[in-house]
Amino acid sequence: MAEEAKKTAKLDFKTLLQAHAVNIPKVGDVIKGQVISVDKGAVRIDVEGLTTGVIRGRELFAESREYAGLKVGDIAEATVLEMENENGEMELSFRIAGYRKAWDNMKKWMKDGLTIKARALSANRGGVLMQVDALKGFMPVSQLNPEHYPRVMGGDKNRIFEKLQELIGKEMEVKVIDAEEKDEKLIVSERAVWEDSQKAVLESYKVGDTVEGEVSALTAFGAFLKFGEGLEGLVHISEIAWQRIEHPRDLLKVGDRVKAQIIQLDHSKIYLSIKRLVEDPWKKVAEKYKVGSKVKGKVIKVEPFGLMVALDQEIHGLAHVSELSDEPNINVAEKFKLGQEAEFEVVSLEPTEHRLGLRVAGIKGKVKKEKKEEVKEEAKEETK
């Protein structure tokens, strides 16, 4: 009997486990255990009363906040790395278990639509790299809220990058909108949080409503207008005025108070129009200008294909290069200058298309049919 007892005492841990009908964890399993010691460089936990597990070195790295500040008596989860190390203990990892738990959390937060805090780590031209709990995530520029969205004249990518860099170190409230552990893809949105906070306010508006606000920013593609309770909408350059303008600053400046009409509501994106609150001057253009009539005009744009000419404050026409001189292959820029006034003849009028064709008065203007079609197409593109 004594000899048998000695043999049993000499049984290693693996043999002892095999001799008992218990739920034996294996490498890769996530186990739960009670912390029995927290020493410098190592945490030991009781593994279901079977053995002691140890977490040390890089496997101790806190992948999730819940692993920070562990104390004796706490219950913790860890992943099995080795059944038995050189000291007869089970080798465990907080790092792997924490990583898995972090992804589980992301998926749950996305499903539940929870708002969480994240910190901006770095930026590139497409957005901001975020620290989200234990994981790294990405927030595209389009997912920033209006306060942080970089509005840059001309859409200069270098200036946008500089603006995004100003966010580094900031803590933001975000929502997880995409979490794919397999591809390690984690996308968060600050705008989604803002949308929720503005939902009740947005629901009080509808397409067609007129709002009054202050011009908050100007870009090459339009003007931003702040109105109501913290709302902001975009007036595209094509919706600022009925006439063609080069840049929103031609008619607006930051700080101007203007009225606009809501033409589209797309979640947090609000699109506005200033020109639709004013009657379309092209509706009555036929009352002012007739085909064949002579008119005075000022050159407002010089292009290789012709001139844009302002007949009045609201109506602009196009004089194709073929209608500028009887001489072939003229250099438009040499013959005409910005601001130059001249007499023209109206050669075509299409009010519904917002197009009016002109010819320099006094020239023969022998334009072939195909050339006329070309004039129409180029006028159409210019209008766009």
Side-chain angles (χ1 to χ4, degrees), residues 51 53-54 83 117 136 201 307 373:
T51 187
V54 63
M83 296 298 292
K117 290 187 182 296
K136 301 293 190 296
V201 179
L307 307 174
E373 292 304 316

Side-chain angles (χ1 to χ4, degrees), residues 341-360:
E341 293 188 350
E343 188 175 45
F344 296 87
E345 178 186 346
V346 178
V347 294
S348 64
L349 188 58
E350 299 174 75
T352 57
E353 300 297 329
H354 290 185
R355 290 204 295 265
L356 185 149
L358 297 169
R359 171 191 302 153
V360 172

